[in-house]
């Protein structure tokens, strides 16, 4: 083969050298580049937003050597140079990080946990719902996940690698699959002049390919659900901008469910010669793990023409049980684009055949027919290539899609069969991958218009800081990538005897499906309710019908019971799995049978937790208030009465205020609480207050009077027992830590204000006390902790030293901090709220390298805990607080609609 260039050289780069020629032998096309190290921001127009200054990116872009800004990359979002290395390498929290005094408290629990863990892993051959022994290691690589809500996700890291997979529901594989790559080939005057894998990897397989792209000449920009990767090809006068799009569309209950992603490559030819450019998208069939080993995987080309649009590509069939799937790699065929393919190659070989095929003419051979099934232990991959021509100073666009069709799923117990939400629109027979690809490539422009219409009012609001705009949208990744499932409900799946008077339950679940997301990718329980309390703002504000669906499921589970006895690990006590008329902790483990077997959590018996029932009542009223759905309120009213009756037994002295039980009986499940407490006592009073409101709306006069009496007595007791003049004490124990300053002490007021209550005639907590408590938290938990740069520590002693009495009191919980910031904004402390939340964003996204895996917690030094967690979705409570304050400041034109207010009334526009 003649190409006019050597095929035995590969280039790499060294940062800071203005002229770099580093050549290694690797079997690729030789290319020599001249890299100008001049700061690319020097020539930025004055009216252009600064995209790389410390406010936006800080040190994340300090190593960027290129000049390219990319094609239509937005000014706001999370931006990082591909060559960036995070200096701080933290470890997951484990037993070595527990102080001796706390270790003694947990000896019994530790022994019982190890016995349970051994039985689970070695006897049952299951993965523990929380694996404290094999934590997910730190990998500072993740980017925006691909895929809509509930159909599985594939994460492409910010350096370009496909590295995190959640296809089987709720179960993750953290693995980089080397064959999954984009490769560029440039040709001038009929000769290939440049061919490069757009990856920084240096793998031991596919060694004939040109690896080790110079990361100093590329950057990644994320604004979920889109991301941009910009590659400057030094010496070629070519800039590539890869735009990644996923259909995450608020209030859209069809396209938001689709298991697809689109990659749009904008290629800019900045030179004076015509250019032919090819982008090759290679993909392995499977993930290179145990599911692939039995063999029998096979690929085949496809072409689908519909409505004048043609899509061509490969189908990668993965028939492994119990959840077989087909993945489609496809490109859009246009008058200016040629699409070719190679059906099968060995991803563990040198890759010489594929590389030379592309190198010869910028296209692939496109054999017909399907491949032979893979042999046991042998991998199989394929590739699709799109090619176009650019005139001098011209631009072209190459469009690819990645779709996966796993319509029929079974959870780990392999009992119940479910169908995913998207099958309502694309069928259940497993043949939808071509249609999904075609639909995505033809509709992505419409998706982008909707995304822009949703995001622009916030992005264009100059009163909002840049970091907040990034955090608000990028934290939404978890709604899709939280092990999320969105399932169709079979007509016979709902127990009629439990429906009772819930008239909307069946029609709502059958119309909008069943929704579940994990507490965290490491804490594998669906719809963990004490945490959903914080995260639910995002779901309610963007997909309110899914929030209502989740609430109906929770109501159903509340009315059920499972009297099977089991031993709880913290106390060692035997107790039932689930008692009637108490809110379950969670809806189940994806490695078991969620919805059918709830309460996967075995650390505590949560029937005695003090916060779960209260959080249900508060969320019911908030959901009613923000949706205006009166039928939902009527359906939930009997359930609220039942759970509040269960809760009343915790008011042992009948003073109108519940008492905690002397153990960690709430969402802070490692932090002991005794007697009346700021957190649970505040939630109790807020729940009683909304019961008063609901009783009025439901015409329950006697109930109204009962809860009004409780509220009056409880308010007096709360102030008398807990208010100390500066804040509310942690609890009423005799321990020194009883006067700790808890950052989450105003959670009850937070929810009241979100519901339009908590002030004036509906005031529960004295306004001056709330503001003073928040100011004290800001002074001590925020500013006196880590220089004010890491958010709010959970517990702080009055003299300004973190409370180390438990394993959780000296942690920062990101989702709690966002909720605290929302509370500050509600009370007029807007600057303090933003400063508080900013510390978490800067720590997680810019310092610790935990982008798209925001943890539950981190300490001031050394450790983090539970990567990729649900609670940080609470940042949307900040947005709700801002919208409500903005609305309250507007001149009153018409009479306020009151409790029937809908989400449309709270729209930022």
């Amino acid at each position: 083969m003649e190409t006019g260039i050597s095929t035995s050289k590969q280039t790499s780069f060294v940062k800071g050298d203005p002229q770099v020629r580093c050549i290694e032998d690797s079997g690729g096309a030789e290319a020599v580049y001249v890299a100008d190290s001049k700061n690319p921001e020097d020539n930025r127009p004055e009216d252009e937003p600064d995209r790389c200054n410390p406010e936006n990116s800080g040190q994340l872009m300090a190593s960027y050597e290129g000049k390219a800004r990319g094609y239509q990359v937005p000014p706001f979002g999370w931006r990082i140079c591909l060559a960036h290395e995070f200096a701080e390498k933290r470890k997951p929290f484990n037993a070595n990080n527990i102080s001796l005094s706390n270790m003694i408290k947990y000896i019994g629990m530790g022994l019982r946990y190890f016995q349970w863990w051994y039985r689970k892993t070695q006897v049952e051959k299951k993965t523990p719902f929380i694996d404290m022994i094999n934590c997910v290691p730190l990998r500072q690589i993740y980017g925006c996940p691909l895929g809509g809500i509930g159909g599985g996700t594939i994460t492409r890291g910010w350096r370009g690698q496909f590295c995190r997979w959640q296809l089987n529901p709720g179960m993750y594989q953290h693995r980089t699959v080397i064959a999954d790559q984009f490769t560029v080939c440039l040709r001038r005057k009929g000769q290939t002049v440049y061919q490069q894998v757009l990856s920084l990897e240096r793998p031991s397989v596919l060694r004939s390919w040109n690896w080790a792209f110079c990361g100093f000449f590329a950057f990644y920009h994320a604004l979920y659900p889109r991301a941009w990767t910009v590659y400057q090809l030094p010496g070629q006068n070519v800039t590539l901008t890869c735009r990644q799009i996923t259909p995450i569309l608020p209030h859209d209950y069809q396209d938001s469910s689709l298991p697809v992603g689109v990659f749009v490559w904008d290629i800019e030819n900045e030179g004076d010669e015509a250019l032919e450019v090819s982008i090759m998208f290679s993909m392995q069939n499977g993930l290179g793990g145990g599911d692939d080993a039995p063999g029998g995987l096979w690929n085949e080309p496809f072409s689908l023409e519909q409505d004048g649009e043609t899509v061509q590509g490969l189908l990668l069939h993965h028939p492994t049980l119990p959840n077989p799937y087909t993945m489609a790699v496809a490109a859009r065929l246009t008058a200016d684009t040629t699409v070719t393919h190679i059906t099968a190659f060995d991803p563990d070989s040198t890759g010489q055949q594929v590389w030379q095929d592309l190198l010869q003419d910028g296209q692939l051979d496109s054999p017909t027919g399907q491949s032979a099934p893979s042999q046991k232990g042998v991998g199989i991959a394929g590739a699709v290539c799109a090619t176009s021509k650019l005139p001098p100073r011209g631009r072209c666009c190459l469009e690819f899609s990645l779709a996966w069709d796993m319509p029929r799923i079974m959870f780990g117990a392999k009992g119940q069969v479910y169908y995913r939400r998207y099958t309502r629109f694309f069928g259940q027979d497993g043949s939808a991958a071509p249609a999904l690809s075609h639909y995505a490539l033809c509709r992505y422009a419409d998706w982008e218009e909707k995304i822009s219409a949703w995001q622009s009012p916030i992005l264009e609001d100059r009163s909002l800081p840049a970091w907040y705009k990034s955090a608000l949208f990028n934290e939404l990744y978890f709604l899709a990538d939280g092990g999320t499932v969105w399932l169709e409900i079979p007509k016979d799946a709902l127990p009629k005897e439990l429906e009772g008077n819930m008239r909307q339950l069946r029609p709502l679940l059958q119309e909008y499906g069943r929704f579940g997301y994990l507490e965290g990718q490491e804490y594998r329980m669906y719809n963990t309710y004490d945490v959903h309390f914080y995260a639910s703002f995002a779901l309610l504000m963007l997909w309110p019908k899914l929030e209502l669906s989740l609430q109906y499921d929770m109501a159903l589970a509340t009315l059920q019971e499972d009297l099977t006895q089991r031993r709880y690990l913290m106390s060692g006590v035997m107790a039932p799995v689930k008692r009637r008329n108490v809110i379950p902790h969670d809806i189940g483990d994806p490695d078991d049978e969620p919805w059918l077997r709830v309460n996967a959590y075995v650390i505590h018996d949560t029937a005695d937790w003090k916060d779960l029932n209260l959080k249900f009542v508060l969320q019911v009223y908030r959901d009613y208030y923000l949706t205006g759905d009166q039928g939902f309120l009527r359906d939930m009213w009997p359930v609220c009465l039942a759970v509040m009756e269960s809760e009343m037994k915790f008011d042992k002295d009948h003073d109108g205020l519940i008492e905690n039980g002397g153990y960690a009986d709430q969402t802070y499940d490692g932090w002991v609480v005794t007697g009346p407490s700021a957190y649970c006592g505040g939630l109790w009073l807020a729940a009683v207050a909304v019961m008063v409101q609901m009783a009025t709306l439901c015409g329950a006069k006697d109930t109204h009077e009962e809860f009004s009496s409780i509220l009056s007595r409880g308010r007096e007791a709360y102030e008398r027992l807990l208010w100390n003049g500066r804040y509310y004490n942690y609890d009423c124990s005799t321990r020194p830590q009883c006067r700790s300053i808890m950052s989450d002490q105003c959670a009850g007021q937070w929810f009241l204000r979100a519901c339009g209550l908590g002030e004036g005639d509906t005031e529960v907590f004295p306004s001056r006390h709330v503001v003073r408590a928040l100011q004290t938290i800001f002074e001590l938990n925020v500013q006196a902790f880590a220089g004010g740069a890491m958010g709010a520590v959970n517990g702080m002693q009055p003299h300004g030293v973190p409370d180390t009495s438990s394993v959780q009191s000296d942690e920062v919980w990101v989702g709690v901090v966002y909720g605290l910031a929302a509370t500050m904004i509600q009370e007029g402390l807007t600057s303090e709220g933003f400063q508080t939340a900013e510390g978490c964003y800067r720590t997680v996204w810019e310092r610790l390298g935990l982008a798209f895996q925001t943890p539950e917690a981190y300490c001031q030094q050394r450790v983090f805990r539970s990567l990729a967690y649900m609670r940080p979705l609470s940042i949307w409570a900040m947005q709700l607080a801002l919208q409500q304050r903005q609305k309250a400041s507007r001149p009153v034109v018409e009479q306020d609609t009151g409790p029937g207010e809908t989400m449309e009334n709270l729209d930022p526009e």
Side-chain angles (χ1 to χ4, degrees), residues 47-98:
D47 60 346
E48 181 178 340
D50 189 343
R51 298 170 180 170
C52 301
N53 68 8
E55 169 64 10
N56 291 345
S57 302
Q59 294 301 308
L60 300 183
M61 286 295 291
S63 55
Y64 183 58
E65 296 279 334
K67 293 181 178 180
R69 297 174 183 153
Y71 182 74
Q72 294 186 349
V73 182
F76 297 109
W78 180 73
R79 182 171 296 198
I80 186 168
C81 175
L82 268 57
H84 182 79
E85 291 288 345
F86 289 94
E88 190 166 350
K89 309 290 184 183
R90 291 205 169 195
K91 300 290 185 182
F93 178 87
N94 58 44
N96 296 332
N97 305 113
I98 303 176

Side-chain angles (χ1 to χ4, degrees), residues 319-344:
T320 306
L321 297 175
N323 299 323
Y325 65 93
T326 296
M327 191 170 288
V329 180
R332 190 176 190 170
L333 182 66
T334 69
D336 301 318
T337 305
T338 301
V339 178
T340 56
H341 69 270
I342 182 167
T343 309

